[in-house]
Amino acid sequence: MRQRAQWKSEHKQVVFTNGCYDLLHPGHIRLLEQARTLGDVLILALNSDTSVRRMKGPSRPLIPEDERSEMALALEAVDAVALFDEETPRELIAAILPDVLIKGADWAHFIAGREEVEAAGGRVLTVALEPGYSTTNIVERILERP
């Protein structure tokens, strides 16, 4: 929150996106790079391990939250990482109030935090996903190998 306040005082456009990012793949990288072009800084909110297990089942996440955070922060496009335990990052989004909220087009039917961001004058956008990239599909392909 302190960092967000500093960016706001510097008149920087803050972009926010979220997800599990359980197994980082080119689809994730391209979405993050595209999101970053829409502002000055990008915050990536990651589902905590507990949140991922609730959503994806007991065998997930494949990579623990601290390691997912470390990998995300190593990306040039990502300026900050936040973790959230809830089913959605609505509360975190409401607290940060980014200037731009981004989600993959697969979530166009429901974007947590939309109302809060739009009420504060921000924009909510969806970006097309890279076809053929899905953590679940990658895991299935690995398990099918002899």
Side-chain angles (χ1 to χ4, degrees), residues 4-132:
R4 170 59 171 126
Q6 180 179 337
W7 287 329
K8 190 170 188 164
S9 74
E10 295 168 356
H11 305 288
K12 291 187 177 179
Q13 289 285 300
V14 174
V15 180
F16 182 104
T17 193
N18 67 279
C20 296
Y21 289 75
D22 190 11
L23 185 59
L24 198 59
H25 56 67
H28 289 138
I29 302 295
R30 292 173 188 145
L31 184 144
L32 293 169
E33 287 174 345
Q34 187 175 356
R36 181 61 172 75
T37 67
L38 299 170
D40 301 306
V41 294
L42 175 62
I43 299 170
L44 172 59
L46 295 174
N47 292 76
S48 69
D49 290 348
T50 302
S51 176
V52 173
R53 269 191 292 283
R54 276 196 314 268
M55 288 177 34
K56 307 278 185 176
S59 64
R60 302 278 293 275
L62 302 169
I63 299 172
E65 63 191 32
D66 58 333
E67 294 176 19
R68 289 184 287 128
S69 296
E70 183 179 346
M71 287 190 301
L73 284 169
L75 300 173
E76 187 174 336
V78 177
D79 296 290
V81 170
L83 293 169
F84 65 97
D85 283 319
E86 299 77 22
E87 185 176 327
T88 74
R90 180 180 300 276
E91 291 178 29
L92 181 59
I93 292 167
I96 292 173
L97 287 177
D99 301 294
V100 182
L101 175 59
I102 300 289
K103 274 305 282 182
D106 58 330
W107 282 94
H109 63 284
F110 173 73
I111 300 176
R114 172 188 291 278
E115 295 83 8
E116 291 83 355
V117 170
E118 289 178 343
R123 297 182 297 151
V124 178
L125 305 170
T126 59
V127 295
L129 297 181
E130 284 283 326

